[in-house]
Every structure is written in C-alpha cells, then in structure tokens.
Amino acid sequence: MRFRILGPLEVRAPQGTAGDLTPRAAKIRVVLATLLVRANEIVSVDSLIDELWGENPPRTATTTLQVYVSQLRKLLHEADAEFGRDALVTRPPGYELRIDPAQLDLTVFEELHGRSRELMEQQNHRTASDLQRQALGLWRGPLLSDTPHGPLLDATAVRLAEVRTAALEQCIRAELHLGRHRELIGELQSVVAELPLREEFHAHLMVALYRSGRQADALQVFGRLRRGLVDELAIEPGRSLQALHQRILVGDPALLTPAVRAGHTMASGPAAGAGLTTGPGPAQGAGPAPAPGSAAPRPHVPSGNSAMAQLPSSDELFTGREEELASLRDVLGAPGGRLVIVTGAAGVGKTALTLAVAHRTRDLFDVPVFVRLRPDGHGPLNAVGVLAGVLRQYGVRGALPERIDELRQMLAELTDGRRVLLVLDDVVDAEQVRPVLSAVPDCTVLVTCRQVPDGLAGRVVCLDVPGVREARRLFVTAAGQPADAAESAECAGVVEACGRLPLALRAAAEAPAGRSRLPLGGLAARLRDERTRLAELEAASPGFRARLCDALDGVGGAELRAFRLFGLLPAGPFAPDAAAAVLDTDMATARATTDALVRARLLCAELPSAGRPESHHVPELLRLLARERLDAEEGPEVVRAALARLCAVFAKAVEEAGPSGPAAVDGVHPLEWFRLRLPALIAVVRQAHAARLWAECLLLVDRMTGFLEVLGAWEERDACQNLALEAAQQLGDLAAQARLLRSLGDLAWQRRRLDTAGELYERALMAADVAGAEIERCRALTGLAGLRLDAGATDAAAALVPPALDSAPQDARTGFEAHRVLGLLALESGERDAAQGHFATCLTYATSLADARLESYARRRLGEFSSGGTAHPGWSEVQPGVWRMRTAA
C-alpha cells in the first residue's frame, strides 16, 4: 500500500488489487492526512479534533472521531489485510498510524533531499542533482491540495513548501556547477515568475543567461527584480546580487564557464547569490597561467565597497555552543588586530562554529573572508596558495603575481584602513599563514586547526564535543526527528555510541533508521556493537571514515603506533600504568607519549577526581578506529602480548584494592574504586577471552570475584565467571573449575534459580573430588546443604555439613558457611541456644577474614537473640542480604 500527500491525497492498494482507495469523505481524508504527516507518531485526540473542527467542535466530537477512525481501519484492512490489521492503533492519548517510511512519498522526499544536501557539501554535484530531481519528481502540487487544512496541516504545508523551494534551489545550483546553464533558462524563468522576490533564483537565472551569451537579458533580470523590490518593499537587492550584477556589467570572464577540478565540476568565479563556489587552484591558488608568449593580464582589484568577498552559508544544523559563541564575539569585538585560534579534534565542529560566529559578527566588520586551506580535498595550501586564496575570496580577479612579497603587498594595500575578518580554516603549520598575518596586522584573523602550530601565538579556544543535551538536539535536528525525541532513551543510546562527536551524529542522522519516523531503538541497537559501529556510520554517510581518519594526518610514526595500541584499552579513562603496559615501556616514556597524543587531539586528558588522580581517555570513535588499525597493521602476537600485559596490570590493581589492601584507593573506598572501573574490567575480560588468553582471563576474574559478590553485581558476575569457567576448561584446571562452578551455584541460589544452583553445586563437587581440592569440595557441600535447607529437607542438609567442618580450621570462609547452615538448622529445630553458638562462631570467622559484609550478617543474627526476635517477623536472613520466609518455629 502506498500513500501520496505531496499534492492531492492518494491511497494506492498493493499491486494486483483494486487501485485507488482514497477516501471520498472530506473528514475522513482529514483524519488520514493528519496521521500521515505524523506517521509513526502518536497524534492526540485533541489534535485530531482541532484539525477537523477548529475552535468549534460539536459535543459529539470524540464519538464522531471514533467513527472516522473505525472507517479508516476498515478501509486499510480491506485494502491489505496483513498491513491493515495493525497499521492504525490506539495509543493514549490518541492514535498512531504505523507505516514503513517507503510507503509515504513525504518521507521518501525528505530522505532524497537530505542525502542530496550532503552530496552537495562533498561537491558531488552530479549525484546531488539526480537525487534532488527524484525528490522534486514526487511533487504533484501543494501538500494535500484536495483536503481541508486545520492548524497542523497548515503548518506542515508551509514548512514543506519551503523545503521544496530549498530542494529546487540546490538542484539548480548543482546543475549550474555541471554546466547545464542553457537547459535551465526556461525552468528558471518560470521559477522567478512564481517566486518574484526570491533573489537566489534571480541570481541563478542571471548566471545562466550570461553564460549563454545573453548579457543584456541577464542585466534586465536584475533591473526587473530591483524595480519590484523598490516599488513593493522600498528596499534594494542584497549585496550579493548587486555584486553579481556588477560582474555581469563589466563582463567578468571568470563567470563564464565551469571549471573541472578534483574530479568534480565547479563554477569559476564567485557567483555570489547564485551560490557558486570560488577559490584558488589546487597547487598555489595563483590563478590560471597566461598563454605562452603573452603578457599576464593585470588582476582586477576591487576598491571601497565593491569588494565581493562572501562567507559560505552558515550550517543550518548548527545548534548550541552558546558559551563559545559569546566568548568569541567578545574577543572579535575588541578594537585592534588579533589572532584567535579555534582548536579541537577532527569532526568536533570547528568550521561550523567559526562560520556561525563570522555570520553573527558581520556587523563588526566591513569585509568577511573565509578560506579553506585544504580546498576540494587537496593537500594543504602553501603560503603562496593561502595568500592567493585570500585575495580571490576578497574579490581580486584575473592573473595574480607568483611572488610571495607581491601578493602580501597587494593584500596589505587592499585591506588598509578596513575592518576585515579573515577566517583561515584547517591550518596545519605556521608557515602557511605567517605572510598573511604580516600583511594584515590590524585585521582580525580567526584560525581553525586540530592542534596549535608552533610559532602561532594568539587567543586559543579549545573546542570539545558538545554536552549531552546539545548533542541530543543536534542529532534530532539533523535526523528531522521531533524535538521531544531528544529526551528518549533511544536517542541517548545513539548519542553515547557516537561519542557526542558532531561528525558522527550527523552520519547517524543520515541512516534510514535515524531519518524515519519510527522510534530510534533500531538505530541505537545497530550502533551498540563496537565491531560494526564504524561500518554502520560509513554506510549511512559515505566518506565518514575518511573524515575521521583526517585526525591522523601529520601524526608521527611512533605516536601512530601508540595510538593503534591504545585501541586495546576499554572505553573510558585509563591510568598511566595501563598506557605503559600496552606500550611495553616505562611510566616516564608512557607519559611523554600520551602528552604527544593529547597535543595531536587523539587523546584527552581527564580532570583529576576522587578515584582517578591521573588519567586519559581515547575519544570513543577514535578508539574504534585505533582498534581497526591495530588489527590491520600489527601482527596477532603483538596484539596478544599487549593485551596480556594489560590484563596483568588490571589484575594487580584489583588485588591491591582488595580486602588485604589499603582502606582507600586513590582517595575513595575500594568498593567505589572498583565500581568506577567495572565496565573497563569487564571489557578487558571479554577481550582476553576472545584472544584465547585463558590464564589471564581466569586470573583477572578470580581477582574480581570478591568485589562482585559484595556489590551484588549479579549480571556482571554471571558473565565474567562463565567466561572464566571456559578459560579454566581450556586450561584443564579442575580446581579452578570447581571454584567457579561453586561460585556460580551461589549466584544461582541467590537469584532463586534453585534447579540450576543444584546442578552447579553437583558439578563443582565432582570437579573438586577429581582435583583433590578439599576446600572447594567442602564449600560445594555447604552450598548443597543450604539448598536442601531452603527446600525444607533439614535432615538431608544436616548430613552434608559435618564433612565441611573438617576443613574449617584451614579455611575460615568454609567454616563461616558451615556454621551459618548449622545455625539455620538449629533455628528450624527450635534450638535457639545452639543457633546462637553457631552464629557467634560465624562472627569469629568473619572477623578473621576482615569481611565487613559477613561480620554485619553475623552481628544481625546474634542481635535477634538479645532483642527477642527478628526485625522482620516471619522472615529469616539465610545469607547476607538474602531473605526467605520461615517454615517453622
């Protein structure tokens, strides 16, 4: 079934059935149309009533709406029984129409338009044009032109009309880049007649006419627009259009033909309002060389207010960053020349921020100039190329001198006495920009770079990833999701998987699951797997991985190898000893390496805090990139050896923080210290298991078990101990198998999985018997005894305890468990004095173990005898924190 709303409403049946199923009744069309423009969202009953009757609904509005919904359900079911049965559902406080995004022309249009916009940014004009033409081909007229509109449909119609106009403008701009100016003239004449006040279409028409040899017609287009604006609004055309008019008036040859560069067709010259790009060539940016034997023509240098410098459009998805914007505006607004440096990791949004602040401070400057120092995907411009690029963007046309001193002098003369904001995007080293800075000492220069080049001194603004709320807003805006989706758990999952990196958030927003109106759970689930996350983002936004890899440009070989090895580190902060372990070096060398990677923006230093006095972390997506590179560029033995060293460091740290360790670790209680590191520990356990590092996996889990028991981390304990059990089986270590089986049996008992607990205890007993592990045999017996007692089989439980008592002098924990079971048995038999004696013995053992949890349990049990009973009548605490109902007194 297909729904079409970009024009008259149409409902088309599945292929092979009756065709047109569009409802004839206007009110039913309104209900269906409202549900379609909010497809896969809940539309409240109140909204539907407003759409149907406005401010004067009948008294029976709710009942009548129910009738309309019932008729719609019948129509959908008759058209397609399988789809219709569950398509229109009641979801308080209203209704939801669940459809595949591909069934609705609106969502298909938005997907095509969004993808084309991204391709335009990548200068893939041919594919961008094709996609926009496909999108525009879906329009058959104004939104729902045959259906009455209430407030929701009215607002949607206005929004979509603007989106369609933007799609048409981008399509025409792309096709001008491709040299299709003659073919566009007729279409553009129709568009400017339809939209007589939209200057961008008049600019496109002027360029198309001028390139087609119709200079006079191009000037007439400007004259007609100017008269219309002056007569109707008493305003002049914008500066961009005036600049374009001036260029056509003087017959600027640079505006005539598109030039092919870097595999894409680009327009020559800055056709200002026409949206055409300009910039230096790939090598020097010094303009085309003169023909052999001819004298180089003198460049055209603008003067006064005729300078034609234009800023690129600000990023329409830019959001937040209010603190940084305010800070930059204050700095840029101060009198006198200055250098401001915006630095941050690749993809963090430096260019978007500088463009936003440049647009918001236009009132402070006579001329804003924006130059990309890596134009069209080429390597970085040298100093001559940068100077030439600045001059081109400023408005200089024709051949430029090749000597750096001549270019610098020209720029100095051009900017003398004028307030100029010069934005140099993606600076690599100081030598690129020193000549520019010396030429414009009284101007404001705003530089973006990943790390501050040596030799550049200015006000530095370090840009980090946005905060959680800003990152969520950026994602839902880019994905076209409703604003309230930012508060959902699914959105939080996507943002966390993307590490809040704007580059990744925009890539995720391009995924079909991100742009659809369905909940974001599917996208969050697809990004949750670290092994495929980068591939998912690349599939959603081709070129994403290459942009991420830009972060590695200019990084030395030793630092790159260290970066790859850091891919082994789990997500989150890591300490210097972990860095030294994976690098197989001493602490001083590891610190020097991490400092170098921090300067390269491949690593972030963590602010000291309780529990983490000194630490770093690899930004999430860079960590996954590092792991990809590690697996591809290092041998498996190198990886295994580094991971083994990491396991040893983690195991040592956990052991030192344990019961025999200090009262506080890094300023916090050992339990809090362990809780902070638990996700990282589990990640290392999983890596060790996957790498078949059986001994390392087993050791680390053994060290973690005591903490896991005390914290009651059941899921984490179950996962880790099952991995360790497989490691013990691979090693043939029966004693370890007995130990883990018994511990897993305890866990199953605590979770009331009694059959599983019994099976695990029996397996532990068998393994302990074969291994001769007497202590583990006794612990398994006490476990079985507790299980029998829990089932009310007191005689069977009592028979299992005496053998365990034989090992009590050698193992205090076994003694504690044996006397705990005997105390419970005595209580079941009404022997309170005997029970009190057993719990007193439990306290002795717990004190010798220095185990506060067991000691508190013993004291609580003993307190019942002095107080005359438990604080919870009818219940018995059978293990620390585990209660069951009494069966007898």
Side-chain angles (χ1 to χ4, degrees):
M1 184 175 290
R2 293 290 183 269
F3 301 91
R4 303 173 71 189
I5 62 176
L6 300 179
L9 176 64
E10 285 188 9
V11 182
R12 309 296 297 182
Q15 190 171 6
T17 61
D20 187 7
L21 296 172
T22 310
R24 295 186 178 182
K27 295 293 188 185
I28 296 180
R29 286 206 310 274
V30 170
V31 175
L32 177 57
T34 307
L35 293 168
L36 283 170
V37 299
R38 298 279 298 276
N40 300 304
E41 299 176 31
I42 300 171
V43 182
S44 70
V45 168
D46 289 343
S47 295
L48 288 166
I49 290 174
D50 286 346
E51 205 68 23
L52 286 163
W53 295 288
E55 297 181 357
N56 299 301
R59 289 181 300 168
T60 59
T62 302
T63 303
T64 305
L65 174 61
Q66 291 171 349
V67 172
Y68 294 157
V69 169
S70 176
Q71 291 176 346
L72 268 181
R73 283 188 173 128
K74 181 179 179 182
L75 181 149
L76 295 171
H77 187 269
E78 289 177 351
D80 185 343
E82 183 177 354
F83 164 76
R85 181 173 57 252
D86 301 317
L88 181 51
V89 296
T90 301
R91 292 278 303 278
Y95 302 94
E96 179 182 357
L97 182 60
R98 297 174 176 175
I99 61 174
D100 187 308
Q103 292 178 270
L104 180 62
D105 59 355
L106 171 58
T107 52
V108 175
F109 168 81
E110 290 177 327
E111 169 69 21
L112 290 169
H113 172 55
R115 184 73 188 112
S116 175
R117 188 176 60 215
E118 174 69 20
L119 290 169
M120 281 292 288
E121 291 177 2
Q122 299 169 12
Q123 298 183 20
N124 187 346
H125 303 114
R126 189 174 304 279
T127 308
S129 167
D130 292 343
L131 291 180
Q132 290 290 21
R133 287 294 177 192
Q134 292 178 44
L136 292 167
L138 296 172
W139 280 80
R140 297 168 293 115
L143 177 79
L144 295 161
S145 55
D146 64 342
T147 301
H149 287 198
L152 176 60
L153 294 183
D154 257 343
T156 305
V158 171
R159 179 181 72 84
L160 289 176
E162 283 298 317
V163 175
R164 175 183 176 270
T165 301
L168 180 59
E169 191 277 330
Q170 287 185 19
C171 180
I172 291 171
R173 180 151 44 96
E175 292 181 353
L176 280 173
H177 277 285
L178 296 170
R180 299 173 182 169
H181 40 273
R182 292 185 185 275
E183 297 93 324
L184 286 170
I185 290 174
E187 180 179 10
L188 280 166
Q189 288 173 331
S190 174
V191 173
V192 298
E194 178 187 351
L195 304 169
L197 301 181
R198 297 294 291 254
E199 294 189 19
E200 66 269 34
F201 291 109
H202 287 79
H204 289 320
L205 178 56
M206 291 165 65
V207 170
L209 288 167
Y210 179 69
R211 287 185 178 172
S212 301
R214 298 167 61 178
Q215 182 181 14
D217 289 338
L219 294 172
Q220 283 183 350
V221 170
F222 178 83
R224 285 194 298 269
L225 173 64
R226 182 181 179 279
R227 285 193 298 272
L229 291 174
V230 170
D231 291 346
E232 293 188 29
L233 303 174
I235 61 172
E236 292 283 343
R239 287 187 298 173
S240 298
L241 203 63
Q242 292 184 46
L244 178 60
H245 174 254
Q246 182 68 22
R247 293 184 64 192
I248 294 174
L249 193 64
V250 300
D252 186 352
L255 191 60
L256 279 172
T257 56
V260 177
R261 185 166 65 214
H264 297 296
T265 306
M266 298 188 63
S268 293
L276 304 180
T277 61
T278 126
Q284 302 272 329
S294 64
R298 295 182 55 134
H300 168 74
V301 179
S303 61
N305 291 326
S306 64
M308 292 178 287
Q310 296 295 322
L311 287 172
S313 300
S314 59
D315 187 342
E316 63 184 21
L317 298 180
F318 183 83
T319 184
R321 302 291 196 187
E322 296 303 327
E323 183 177 341
E324 292 90 345
L325 285 169
S327 173
L328 284 170
R329 182 177 175 88
D330 289 345
V331 174
L332 299 182
R338 69 198 50 78
L339 172 64
V340 182
I341 304 168
V342 177
T343 181
V348 80
K350 302 182 294 294
T351 302
L353 175 67
T354 53
L355 273 175
V357 77
H359 278 278
R360 297 187 189 193
T361 57
R362 292 192 73 144
D363 58 315
L364 304 177
F365 301 97
D366 298 317
V367 179
V369 177
F370 182 93
V371 180
R372 299 185 190 275
L373 271 60
R374 294 175 185 262
D376 309 331
H378 291 285
L381 296 175
N382 59 18
V384 172
V386 175
L387 278 165
V390 172
L391 289 167
R392 291 293 189 204
Q393 292 294 330
Y394 199 93
V396 178
R397 294 294 166 255
L400 291 173
E402 297 182 1
R403 290 170 53 87
I404 196 168
D405 55 342
E406 294 178 6
L407 291 166
R408 185 169 51 210
Q409 181 64 27
M410 183 181 293
L411 180 60
E413 293 175 356
L414 196 61
T415 58
D416 185 34
R418 309 200 71 203
R419 299 175 303 164
V420 177
L421 172 63
L422 178 56
V423 182
L424 301 178
D425 186 48
D426 208 359
V427 170
V428 176
D429 61 62
E431 297 306 316
Q432 290 178 290
V433 298
R434 277 203 181 103
V436 175
L437 297 176
S438 66
V440 293
D442 297 325
C443 296
T444 298
V445 180
L446 184 57
V447 163
T448 73
C449 53
R450 285 198 291 277
Q451 54 182 315
V452 180
D454 294 335
L456 282 189
R459 170 72 176 270
V460 178
V461 176
C462 294
L463 194 62
D464 199 355
V465 294
V468 173
R469 295 186 66 84
E470 281 189 10
R472 290 185 180 192
R473 287 201 303 271
L474 172 59
F475 171 72
V476 298
T477 301
Q481 293 281 343
D484 57 3
E487 304 303 320
S488 67
E490 293 85 357
C491 179
V494 172
V495 168
E496 181 181 357
C498 291
R500 307 205 310 268
L501 185 70
L503 174 67
L505 293 170
R506 294 179 183 224
E510 291 300 318
R515 300 189 68 82
S516 76
R517 303 296 181 86
L518 296 172
L520 296 168
L523 178 60
R526 295 179 70 170
L527 294 178
R528 191 173 299 127
D529 190 340
E530 291 186 356
R531 297 166 299 177
T532 59
R533 189 179 303 161
L534 294 184
E536 289 284 352
L537 292 171
E538 175 68 21
S541 179
F544 164 78
R545 186 182 266 104
R547 289 280 310 279
L548 191 65
C549 288
D550 286 347
L552 308 183
D553 289 350
V555 181
E559 285 79 14
L560 269 181
R561 185 172 188 273
F563 171 71
R564 292 195 297 268
L565 285 168
F566 283 167
L568 284 172
L569 296 167
F574 60 87
D577 57 351
V582 296
L583 298 179
D584 196 17
T585 188
D586 57 76
M587 296 284 281
T589 304
R591 284 193 172 94
T593 302
T594 54
D595 288 346
L597 291 175
V598 168
R599 289 193 296 273
R601 303 292 174 188
L602 296 178
L603 207 62
C604 297
E606 293 276 319
L607 292 174
S609 62
R612 289 198 175 102
E614 180 185 0
S615 61
H616 295 80
H617 79 270
V618 185
E620 180 63 8
L621 296 178
L622 288 178
R623 182 179 67 84
L624 302 184
L625 179 64
R627 185 55 195 258
E628 272 192 0
R629 291 295 185 91
L630 181 66
D631 292 338
E633 299 177 34
E634 300 283 356
E637 290 309 312
V638 172
V639 176
R640 280 172 53 84
L643 185 54
R645 295 191 298 270
L646 184 63
C647 288
V649 165
F650 275 48
K652 179 182 177 183
V654 175
E655 180 184 32
E656 291 177 349
S660 59
V665 184
D666 295 337
V668 299
H669 190 278
L671 282 177
E672 178 62 15
W673 177 91
F674 181 84
R675 188 189 63 77
L676 289 170
R677 284 158 179 75
L678 182 54
L681 287 164
I682 293 173
V684 173
V685 168
R686 293 186 186 280
Q687 285 192 80
H689 181 272
R692 304 176 67 83
L693 292 170
W694 307 123
E696 289 80 1
C697 176
L698 178 59
L699 175 64
L700 183 53
V701 173
D702 276 343
R703 298 280 169 83
M704 294 166 59
T705 295
F707 281 111
L708 292 169
E709 289 177 351
V710 174
L711 286 174
W714 288 357
E715 297 296 337
E716 294 85 350
R717 176 179 164 190
D718 184 59
C720 288
Q721 290 192 324
N722 273 295
L723 294 176
L725 178 59
E726 184 179 346
Q729 291 166 344
Q730 293 289 339
L731 293 168
D733 188 338
L734 285 170
Q737 292 177 48
R739 181 171 65 251
L740 289 160
L741 287 164
R742 187 267 312 158
S743 182
L744 287 167
D746 292 344
L747 179 59
W749 185 88
Q750 290 168 355
R751 299 168 85 174
R752 312 309 294 155
R753 299 172 181 173
L754 303 183
D755 291 341
T756 301
E759 178 186 344
L760 289 165
Y761 285 141
E762 293 287 357
R763 290 173 59 193
L765 190 59
M766 291 174 60
D769 283 338
V770 176
E774 185 60 26
I775 290 176
E776 282 306 324
R777 179 179 183 279
C778 293
R779 289 187 180 181
L781 286 172
T782 58
L784 284 169
L787 199 61
R788 301 292 184 268
L789 177 61
D790 194 54
T794 54
D795 291 342
L800 292 169
V801 176
L805 291 173
D806 296 338
S807 296
Q810 290 78 38
D811 182 63
R813 188 170 292 275
T814 303
F816 177 92
E817 291 299 327
H819 283 281
R820 177 186 63 79
V821 174
L822 288 173
L824 294 171
L825 282 168
L827 285 176
E828 292 288 331
S829 303
E831 301 171 8
R832 291 179 57 82
D833 291 342
Q836 185 174 4
H838 288 303
F839 289 128
T841 305
C842 285
L843 180 59
T844 301
Y845 281 124
T847 303
S848 69
L849 288 166
D851 190 319
R853 184 175 65 105
L854 300 184
E855 187 175 343
S856 296
Y857 170 78
R859 291 189 185 280
R860 284 194 299 274
R861 297 304 325 224
L862 288 170
E864 296 175 12
F865 297 98
S866 59
S867 64
T870 177
H872 304 282
W875 291 83
S876 175
E877 188 179 9
V878 293
Q879 279 195 7
V882 180
W883 297 74
R884 70 174 176 84
M885 293 186 67
R886 293 181 185 274
T887 57

